Amino acid sequence: MNTIWPDSIATGSQGKFHVQGVAVDSTNSCVYFSFTNSLIKMDLSGKLIGSVVGFAGHLGDLDFKDGKVYGSLEYKSDGIGKGISNELGLDISKENGFYIAIFDGSKIVRPAMNAEKEDLLKTVYLAEPVMDYETSVKVGDAIKEHRYACSGIDGLTFGPAFGTKKDKKEYLYVAYGIYGDTTRDDNDHQVILQYDIDNWDSYGQMLLLNKLHRSGPKKPKAKYFLKTGNTTYGIQNLAYDAYSGNFFAAVYKGKKAIYPNYDLFVIDGKRKPTKEIISSDNKQEKVAMVHLVEGDNKDTDSGISGWYFQWGATGLCPIGNGLFYISHNKKTSDGEQQSTIHKYKWVGEVKSPFRMIEKK
């Protein structure tokens, strides 16, 4: 039986931190939202089923697979981390830890369930982005913190290997956050890690703020680069769309004048990665490069294809047949954050890539 998705679902006010991502469970007809320091679960009428609180990190983009909600989770001491800790009145974590948060959706049954005290959340540590985050590199004559300008992780999705058929094995893809530093030239690519999660049950542990664990894979299965020009904090929402076979990436646009600074990119899922050369740490580095879908929207100067689209960076979720839920986030006059997801159809037009499904 196919799920009948409503044209929109509204969360109502959810605190001081804005919405980060959206995921749907078509089997149980519910939807999940991440609001930075909380996860909420609603039915399709917008009624709250349950929520998870009690983690002081940054919960970002979401995806749903096999009864579990997967999300990117950061603990770090930069401006973002300090802002979260200050707002919550907590001591900031003295360690950097980037994790995949794995919530058991069936256990989220009431509001304000505690992530550190109830058995509904496991986390898997990702060593690769922490290593890049903590590594300093040379950029010209300057020393810059963070290899590839890595600010952590955010965009996340499940999909097949690039260049394979849609019905092949699915992997977890996690995108770096990328600092929007206009004074460096080594931050013009997105970085996307691919993980095989078949043995991840052996890694998953409960997460305690004052005792961050290091249980996780030593390396990703693959590390991909994507030339988009610099963006502000990298891919915010990454979503594999099985209908088209492509990966959609919503960002906060960059500020370098040499690039078109699009809000939305589409990665060609049917094209195999190629070996390319990039510059990092004042050296030439051979990497695996994935490629954008090209069309009439290709910028002639940079060769980069993309779209200008206001929404998507706070929630972009395929729901089948070329349809997506896209978050329209809003801040009320008293500082409360909200989201309404609207149903859109991908049309790919240069000026209007998505078309909202109007109520009949």
Side-chain angles (χ1 to χ4, degrees), residues 54-276:
F55 46 90
H58 175 290
L59 182 65
D61 191 15
L62 303 176
D63 202 357
F64 186 86
K65 184 176 177 64
D66 299 332
K68 304 293 197 306
V69 184
Y70 290 76
S72 57
L73 182 60
E74 300 177 328
Y75 287 82
K76 57 184 180 179
S77 57
D78 69 350
I80 295 174
K82 290 176 182 176
I84 294 171
S85 296
N86 290 340
E87 181 67 32
L88 297 175
L90 299 172
D91 290 334
I92 194 168
S93 173
K94 296 179 175 59
E95 298 178 86
N96 300 310
F98 303 148
Y99 297 87
I100 299 302
I102 307 170
F103 299 87
D104 187 334
S106 67
K107 294 183 179 180
I108 303 174
V109 294
R110 64 180 187 278
M113 301 183 74
N114 191 286
E116 292 195 353
K117 297 178 181 178
E118 302 188 56
D119 184 23
L120 49 78
L121 169 64
K122 301 295 183 186
T123 56
V124 175
Y125 177 74
L126 301 184
E128 187 80 6
V130 174
M131 178 184 66
D132 285 338
Y133 178 79
E134 293 180 344
T135 297
S136 295
V137 295
K138 290 182 180 179
V139 180
D141 295 328
I143 301 295
K144 295 280 190 177
E145 293 184 317
H146 318 298
R147 181 186 286 131
Y148 315 121
C150 174
S151 71
I153 56 174
D154 211 331
L156 173 153
T157 194
F158 284 94
F162 290 104
T164 61
K165 294 182 179 179
K166 299 178 188 178
D167 58 354
K168 293 289 186 179
K169 175 184 173 70
E170 287 196 334
Y171 298 92
L172 175 66
Y173 292 90
V174 185
Y176 280 13
I178 305 288
Y179 284 116
D181 184 350
T182 60
T183 68
R184 60 194 297 176
D185 61 4
D186 64 339
N187 60 347
D188 294 335
H189 292 83
Q190 306 300 330
V191 183
I192 303 173
L193 306 179
Q194 180 197 67
Y195 290 93
D196 186 337
I197 66 165
D198 282 353
N199 66 343
W200 271 27
D201 286 345
S202 63
Y203 295 132
Q205 294 189 15
M206 293 187 71
L207 186 66
L208 303 176
L209 174 60
N210 296 318
K211 192 177 180 181
L212 299 183
H213 71 79
R214 295 291 183 266
S215 177
K218 292 181 179 179
K219 285 282 187 182
K221 180 176 176 60
K223 188 173 190 176
Y224 298 114
F225 290 75
L226 173 71
K227 182 68 177 288
T228 61
N230 181 242
T231 56
T232 302
Y233 291 118
I235 296 176
Q236 296 294 300
N237 266 244
L238 182 64
Y240 173 69
D241 172 38
Y243 183 77
S244 65
N246 294 323
F247 294 74
F248 287 68
V251 306
Y252 298 136
K253 65 176 61 179
K255 299 179 176 64
K256 291 185 178 181
I258 62 173
Y259 294 114
N261 296 316
Y262 295 120
D263 309 279
L264 177 71
F265 302 95
V266 179
I267 308 169
D268 192 339
K270 296 175 283 296
R271 184 175 175 183
K272 289 185 177 296
T274 58
K275 293 296 183 182
E276 307 283 347

Side-chain angles (χ1 to χ4, degrees), residues 325-343:
Y325 271 143
I326 298 179
S327 165
H328 290 208
N329 57 302
K330 177 183 177 181
K331 186 177 181 180
T332 65
S333 58
D334 59 353
E336 288 287 308
Q337 295 283 349
Q338 303 177 346
S339 172
T340 300
I341 53 174
H342 294 272
K343 191 191 294 181

Side-chain angles (χ1 to χ4, degrees), residues 8-23:
S8 64
I9 303 171
T11 66
S13 295
Q14 295 294 329
K16 301 299 183 182
F17 296 114
H18 76 78
V19 62
Q20 302 280 346
V22 177

Side-chain angles (χ1 to χ4, degrees), residues 24-69:
V24 298
D25 173 3
S26 57
T27 301
N28 296 296
S29 299
C30 59
V31 58
Y32 296 87
F33 298 82
S34 58
F35 276 86
T36 309
N37 73 322
S38 66
L39 179 79
I40 69 170
K41 177 182 180 181
M42 308 184 84
D43 67 19
L44 300 188
S45 72
K47 179 182 177 182
L48 181 68
I49 298 172
S51 63
V52 184
V53 297
F55 46 90
H58 175 290
L59 182 65
D61 191 15
L62 303 176
D63 202 357
F64 186 86
K65 184 176 177 64
D66 299 332
K68 304 293 197 306
V69 184

